[in-house]
Coordinates of all heavy atoms in Angstrom, one line a residue:
L22 N -148.9 56.9 43.9 CA -148.0 58.2 44.1 C -146.7 57.7 44.8 O -145.7 58.2 44.5 CB -148.8 59.2 45.0 CG -150.0 59.9 44.3 CD1 -150.8 60.6 45.4 CD2 -149.5 60.8 43.2
A37 N -165.7 53.5 55.9 CA -166.9 53.6 55.0 C -168.0 54.4 55.7 O -169.1 54.7 55.1 CB -167.4 52.2 54.7
F40 N -168.9 60.6 55.7 CA -167.9 61.6 56.0 C -168.2 62.8 55.1 O -168.3 62.7 53.9 CB -166.5 61.0 55.8 CG -165.4 61.9 56.2 CD1 -164.9 61.9 57.4 CD2 -164.9 62.8 55.2 CE1 -163.8 62.8 57.8 CE2 -163.8 63.7 55.6 CZ -163.3 63.7 56.8
Y42 N -167.5 65.6 52.7 CA -166.4 65.9 51.8 C -165.8 67.3 52.0 O -164.6 67.5 51.7 CB -166.9 65.8 50.3 CG -168.0 66.6 49.9 CD1 -167.9 68.0 49.6 CD2 -169.3 66.1 49.9 CE1 -168.9 68.8 49.3 CE2 -170.4 67.0 49.5 CZ -170.2 68.3 49.2 OH -171.2 69.1 48.9
V49 N -157.1 69.4 52.5 CA -156.1 69.3 51.4 C -155.7 70.7 50.9 O -154.6 71.0 50.7 CB -156.7 68.4 50.2 CG1 -155.9 68.6 49.0 CG2 -156.8 67.0 50.6
A54 N -152.2 75.4 50.2 CA -152.1 76.9 50.3 C -151.0 77.3 51.3 O -150.4 78.4 51.1 CB -153.4 77.5 50.6
C86 N -161.3 66.5 37.0 CA -160.9 65.9 35.7 C -161.3 64.4 35.7 O -160.9 63.7 36.5 CB -159.4 66.1 35.5 SG -158.9 67.8 35.3
S87 N -162.0 64.1 34.6 CA -162.4 62.7 34.5 C -161.7 62.0 33.3 O -162.0 60.9 32.9 CB -163.9 62.6 34.2 OG -164.7 63.1 35.3
S91 N -157.7 66.9 30.0 CA -158.1 68.1 30.8 C -157.1 68.2 32.0 O -156.8 69.3 32.4 CB -159.5 68.0 31.3 OG -160.4 68.0 30.2
H98 N -152.1 75.3 31.5 CA -152.7 76.6 31.2 C -153.3 77.2 32.5 O -153.3 78.5 32.5 CB -153.9 76.4 30.2 CG -153.4 76.0 28.8 ND1 -154.3 76.1 27.7 CD2 -152.2 75.7 28.3 CE1 -153.6 75.7 26.7 NE2 -152.3 75.5 27.0
V120 N -153.8 61.2 37.1 CA -152.8 61.7 38.0 C -151.5 61.8 37.3 O -150.8 62.8 37.5 CB -152.7 60.7 39.2 CG1 -151.5 61.0 40.1 CG2 -154.0 60.8 40.1
R136 N -153.9 85.3 32.8 CA -155.2 84.8 33.1 C -155.3 84.2 34.5 O -156.3 84.4 35.2 CB -155.6 83.8 32.1 CG -155.8 84.4 30.7 CD -155.7 83.5 29.6 NE -155.7 84.2 28.3 CZ -155.4 83.7 27.1 NH1 -155.0 82.4 27.0 NH2 -155.4 84.4 26.0
V137 N -154.3 83.6 34.9 CA -154.2 83.0 36.3 C -154.2 84.2 37.3 O -154.8 84.1 38.4 CB -153.1 82.0 36.5 CG1 -152.9 81.6 37.9 CG2 -153.3 80.8 35.6
T146 N -160.2 90.4 45.6 CA -160.9 91.6 45.6 C -162.4 91.5 45.3 O -163.1 92.5 45.4 CB -160.3 92.6 44.6 OG1 -160.6 92.1 43.2 CG2 -158.8 92.8 44.8

Side-chain angles (χ1 to χ4, degrees):
L22 290 168
F40 183 92
Y42 60 79
V49 166
C86 293
S87 300
S91 298
H98 290 190
V120 167
R136 294 161 184 164
V137 171
T146 68

